[in-house]
């Protein structure tokens, strides 16, 4: 990961990370699955319904031996907090009109030896019925696999799935991801909606393919 490869993390970042891992263990979460063989990948964190999700993913990735990263707006990396943000896994992104964040993140993947970029595809805790497509464009541009991860705060369980290389067919790949999430949490309304969204995209595509 650029900015933190060959130096000791700051004392503050080490204290914060240890505190988050301690919170994870205190809450009693359990994780299932194995880390991917790839050294670079995009992790999908869903569903995103609570601020505790961040604590879960810090603890879960620690158990799996994954050093997670996240993207943040450039201004968060200006000034004295820059080192802390980088040590915590932050990847600065210019979200202005002139800055193509997909290209910036693809460049970050190219420059890094290891990079596990965690993205919440819902965008925020407020679910609007479909996922944002940024995660897919980033994985395609960087040529890295997508690793689905899930959490259930009610049962204190979570997990990570098999890495999936994007094919360029977003509709088909979204359907595969929806099937994974529905299998893990069949009672989750958000994943039911995701499955319906993927099916709707497939239905919209069909007339275009047949020429009707």
């Amino acid at each position: 990961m650029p900015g933190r490869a060959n130096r000791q993390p700051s004392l503050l970042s080490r204290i914060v990370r240890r505190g988050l891992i301690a919170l994870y263990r205190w809450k009693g979460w359990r994780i299932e699955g194995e880390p991917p063989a790839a050294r670079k990948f995009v992790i999908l964190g869903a569903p995103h319904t609570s601020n505790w999700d961040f604590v879960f993913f810090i603890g879960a990735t620690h158990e799996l031996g994954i050093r997670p990263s996240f993207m943040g707006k450039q201004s968060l990396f200006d000034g004295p907090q820059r080192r802390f943000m980088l040590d915590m896994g932050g990847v600065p992104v210019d979200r202005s009109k002139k800055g193509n964040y997909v290209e910036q993140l693809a460049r970050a993947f190219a420059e890094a030896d290891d990079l596990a970029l965690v993205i919440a595809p819902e965008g925020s805790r407020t679910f609007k019925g479909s996922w944002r497509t940024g995660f897919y464009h980033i994985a395609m541009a960087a040529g890295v696999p997508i690793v689905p991860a899930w959490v259930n705060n009610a049962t204190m369980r979570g997990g990570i799935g098999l890495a999936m290389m994007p094919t360029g067919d977003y509709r088909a790949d979204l359907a595969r991801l929806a099937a994974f999430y529905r299998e893990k949490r069949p009672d989750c309304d958000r994943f039911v909606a995701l499955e319906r969204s993927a099916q709707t995209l497939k239905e919209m595509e069909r007339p275009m393919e047949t020429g009707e």
Side-chain angles (χ1 to χ4, degrees):
M1 172 61 219
R4 70 182 189 191
N6 298 311
R7 62 174 171 77
Q8 180 73 10
S10 65
L11 176 61
L12 178 58
S13 66
R14 282 180 281 160
I15 291 173
V16 170
R17 184 174 294 278
R18 287 172 184 171
L20 293 172
I21 293 170
L23 272 176
Y24 167 86
R25 291 171 176 166
W26 174 73
K27 290 284 287 184
W29 272 299
R30 294 292 182 269
I31 183 75
E32 64 181 51
E34 300 292 335
R39 298 177 64 180
K40 305 180 188 182
F41 46 92
V42 171
I43 301 178
L44 297 187
H48 181 30
T49 59
S50 167
N51 287 329
W52 283 104
D53 295 340
F54 179 72
V55 178
F56 168 76
F57 277 105
I58 290 293
T61 51
H62 175 77
E63 283 195 15
L64 292 168
I66 297 171
R67 185 77 167 177
S69 293
F70 61 92
M71 57 179 162
K73 58 183 180 180
Q74 181 67 51
S75 60
L76 295 175
F77 296 81
D78 295 335
Q81 69 270 23
R82 176 177 176 80
R83 181 177 178 183
F84 173 77
M85 292 295 293
L86 291 173
D87 287 344
M88 291 302 294
V91 180
V93 173
D94 179 4
R95 297 301 296 266
S96 68
K97 293 182 179 179
K98 296 180 180 179
N100 185 323
Y101 80 97
V102 172
E103 291 181 0
Q104 293 175 60
L105 289 167
R107 191 180 313 119
F109 271 107
E111 295 173 352
D113 293 327
D114 302 89
L115 181 53
L117 185 67
V118 179
I119 298 177
E122 295 160 299
S124 69
R125 293 194 304 264
T126 303
F127 184 57
K128 298 181 179 179
S130 62
W131 282 3
R132 297 182 179 181
T133 59
F135 76 91
Y136 193 82
H137 294 302
I138 293 167
M140 283 291 297
V144 299
I146 297 168
V147 178
W150 60 278
V151 61
N152 187 336
N153 288 308
T155 62
M156 307 306 292
R157 295 293 184 271
I160 191 169
L162 297 177
M164 181 192 84
M165 281 300 298
T167 65
D169 185 341
Y170 176 69
R171 296 166 178 83
D173 291 343
L174 185 63
R176 291 169 61 192
L177 290 168
F180 168 81
Y181 281 104
R182 285 283 281 136
E183 178 184 357
K184 295 302 180 182
R185 290 197 56 186
D187 59 338
C188 180
D189 292 342
R190 294 190 179 204
F191 294 155
V192 172
L194 175 65
E195 186 176 56
R196 290 174 179 168
S197 176
Q199 183 62 38
T200 299
L201 288 172
K202 290 170 68 177
E203 290 174 351
M204 291 174 61
E205 181 186 46
R206 194 172 298 124
M208 296 174 61
E209 293 178 335
T210 59
E212 295 176 2

